[in-house]
Amino acid sequence: QRAFRHRSVEVINIRRRRGAVVLVAEIPTEEGENHNYLNAMEARIASGHTFGEKRTEPHPGNGAKIRSASPIAAADGTNIATIPKQQQQQQYTSKFSNKMIIGSVECSHHEFRGTMLGNSRPKGALMYVTEVAVRPDRRRCGAGAALMKGVDEVAALRNVETIYLHVDVRNKAACAMYERMGYHHLDKREPLYAQFTASLNLHDGAMHGRKHHLMCKHVNDKTTWL
C-alpha cells in the first residue's frame, strides 16, 4: 500500500505540474470523532492552499466545503519538505482534525493535446473533468453537485469555454447529476469526439468491456472554433 500511495502522489504531482487542479469536498467531523490524515495522499490534499488568489467554497445543504489542492505548504507558507516528519503530522492533525474529506474531482486540460478536438479550439478554451469520487456513505447528499459547482468556478477563473467529461454508461446516478448541472451528451461517432475518446482509451470495449458517454457543458455563450 505504501508503494501504491507513493506512486499515486507522484502521478498527482505530475498532473498538477501540467496544470491539473484537484478539488476536495470536506465536512466537519462529528463531535468526538477523530480523523487524522494518515497517508501522504490525504496529507497533500489537506495541506493544499487556494487556487489562484481565492478559495472555491460553495456551500451545499449538508455543510460541505470545496477546497482546491495545490503544492504543499505549511500554514505559515513554509515548504513542507523542510519540516521534520513528526512536526508535519502534528500540523496536519491540529489544523485539519476537525474536518473530513468526503469527495474529490480533478480538472485538467492536457488531455486535449495532440487531439483533433484540442486543435480545433483555442488554447485554454477546454477543460476536462476526471476522477470524480464521493464516499459511498456520503452520496446523494449534494457533495457531487458541490464539487461540480467548484469545477465551474475553476473554469470561470481560467476563462474556459467548454468542459468535457466521460462517464460510465451504467452509472445512471452520475449521468443524471451531470445533466442537472448543465452537461449534455455528444455523439461519440463523430470523428472529432471519437478520436478524443480513443486517445484516452475510453472507447467502447477498451476498459474490460465498459462503455462511456462523452458529455460537455458550455460555460458561457462564447464557443470559439478554429
Side-chain angles (χ1 to χ4, degrees):
Q1 289 184 347
R2 179 176 297 179
F4 174 77
R5 290 196 298 265
H6 181 72
R7 178 56 184 159
S8 297
V9 170
E10 286 183 346
V11 171
I12 288 176
N13 282 335
I14 291 172
R15 294 175 67 85
R16 186 182 297 146
R17 286 194 292 269
R18 292 177 178 174
V21 173
V22 176
L23 304 180
V24 295
E26 61 182 22
I27 61 172
T29 56
E30 298 294 333
E31 186 174 353
E33 178 184 1
N34 292 321
H35 182 74
N36 298 333
Y37 296 89
L38 302 179
N39 60 57
M41 179 76 72
E42 287 188 298
R44 285 174 182 265
I45 292 175
S47 63
H49 51 77
T50 57
F51 169 79
E53 295 183 356
K54 86 179 202 180
R55 181 168 296 171
T56 305
E57 292 189 340
H59 298 265
N62 66 349
K65 292 185 179 181
I66 307 300
R67 183 192 304 279
S68 57
S70 312
I72 288 187
D76 61 357
T78 306
N79 190 312
I80 292 294
T82 66
I83 302 177
K85 186 174 182 180
Q86 184 177 2
Q87 186 178 345
Q88 293 178 28
Q89 182 63 42
Q90 291 173 351
Q91 289 189 5
Y92 298 148
T93 302
S94 63
K95 186 176 180 182
F96 298 104
S97 60
N98 64 334
K99 293 186 171 83
M100 176 171 60
I101 294 173
I102 61 172
S104 63
V105 62
E106 182 179 303
C107 315
S108 55
H109 55 79
H110 62 267
E111 287 85 357
F112 301 100
R113 294 174 184 169
T115 67
M116 292 191 295
L117 178 58
N119 293 335
S120 299
R121 303 290 298 274
K123 184 178 180 179
L126 306 179
M127 190 166 74
Y128 188 69
V129 172
T130 186
E131 306 299 340
V132 182
V134 177
R135 278 180 48 153
D137 61 337
R138 298 289 177 172
R139 291 172 184 169
R140 305 183 189 281
C141 296
L147 286 167
M148 298 310 292
K149 289 178 182 177
V151 169
D152 289 345
E153 293 199 22
V154 172
L157 286 170
R158 291 185 166 186
N159 297 316
V160 169
E161 296 180 4
T162 309
I163 307 171
Y164 290 86
L165 59 83
H166 283 91
V167 57
D168 194 306
V169 298
R170 299 169 298 181
N171 195 340
K172 304 298 183 183
C175 291
M177 181 195 69
Y178 294 139
E179 289 173 356
R180 290 195 301 271
M181 299 302 297
Y183 290 80
H184 63 272
H185 294 266
L186 297 170
D187 186 353
K188 292 189 303 180
R189 295 171 298 180
E190 293 189 21
L192 197 69
Y193 302 131
Q195 191 262 349
F196 174 64
T197 297
S199 72
L200 299 176
N201 202 34
L202 293 175
H203 51 287
D204 292 351
M207 302 283 288
H208 305 289
R210 295 168 59 184
K211 297 182 179 181
H212 296 81
H213 292 306
L214 176 61
M215 305 180 72
C216 85
K217 174 181 181 177
H218 298 299
V219 180
N220 50 50
D221 296 332
K222 181 182 179 182
T223 305
T224 309
W225 294 86
L226 301 178

